[in-house]
Amino acid sequence: MTLINGKSKSSEHNPVPVVYTGNRITMTRKDLLLKVFLGGTAALVIPSTLTSCSKDETEEDNGSNNKVTIDLSDPSNATLLNPGGTKVIGGIIVANKGSDTYAALEKRCTHDGCTVVYELSTNTFPCPCHGSVFSATGTVLQGPAVLPLKVYPVTKSGNILTIG
């Protein structure tokens, strides 16, 4: 039952029990706790739901003005010495295509952001998540992706690869 200006009203017509006393509105303890609980739950659930749907933005992006150098004589880069070998550096996947040639592409599939891999036998960059396939020039060969991967120029001088 709710008191409004000293008169009682059924809570069927007013689902939130509120007592008006002069110019002040008073709420019951139960309603206050319910509102705090619902508000707190919403404050915790909504942000985590929204961030779980976003792409990972913590990786550094190699903007077009930045150049990356890779020393092939460094043991940490040994995978790039073998045809088919790859290394991910920041947001770029670098692949040894064989015959002393290299490709450097954006590592994130344009469909859903998964990291692509390199297939030497087909000279392609397939996405393991949903099956998109990209050529070594970034072109979409098979969807669901519709946008190409960004391609970075690669030059080799001695044991040093320069990307960008």
Side-chain angles (χ1 to χ4, degrees):
M1 182 173 304
T2 305
L3 294 176
I4 299 179
N5 293 333
K7 297 180 183 176
S8 66
K9 284 197 165 193
S10 169
S11 53
E12 289 177 36
H13 301 292
N14 190 1
V16 178
V18 177
V19 177
Y20 293 95
T21 56
N23 292 335
R24 285 181 53 196
I25 299 173
T26 310
M27 185 181 306
T28 67
R29 181 178 300 155
K30 178 181 174 184
D31 291 325
L32 175 66
L33 292 174
L34 180 64
K35 288 183 187 242
V36 168
F37 174 75
L38 291 176
T41 301
L44 291 174
V45 171
I46 291 173
S48 65
T49 302
L50 294 176
T51 57
S52 68
C53 294
S54 69
K55 304 258 187 291
D56 182 12
E57 299 297 334
T58 59
E59 303 265 345
E60 64 181 74
D61 179 21
N62 184 53
S64 58
N65 296 332
N66 297 332
K67 291 192 184 254
V68 175
T69 58
I70 300 171
D71 184 352
L72 295 174
S73 63
D74 184 334
S76 67
N77 299 321
T79 59
L80 288 172
L81 295 174
N82 302 315
T86 63
K87 180 162 182 148
V88 174
I89 299 173
I92 300 172
I93 182 168
V94 182
N96 181 334
K97 301 190 315 175
S99 302
D100 211 28
T101 60
Y102 294 84
L105 286 83
E106 180 178 356
K107 76 169 189 170
R108 292 186 204 163
C109 175
T110 57
H111 169 249
D112 201 27
C114 295
T115 299
V116 297
V117 296
Y118 178 67
E119 289 290 331
L120 177 63
S121 62
T122 57
N123 193 29
T124 59
F125 290 82
C127 177
C129 294
H130 301 107
S132 294
V133 179
F134 301 89
S135 73
T137 60
T139 305
V140 177
L141 300 175
Q142 177 180 316
V146 293
L147 298 174
L149 292 177
K150 182 174 181 178
V151 178
Y152 298 90
V154 181
T155 56
K156 184 178 180 204
S157 177
N159 284 331
I160 304 293
L161 290 181
T162 304
I163 301 162

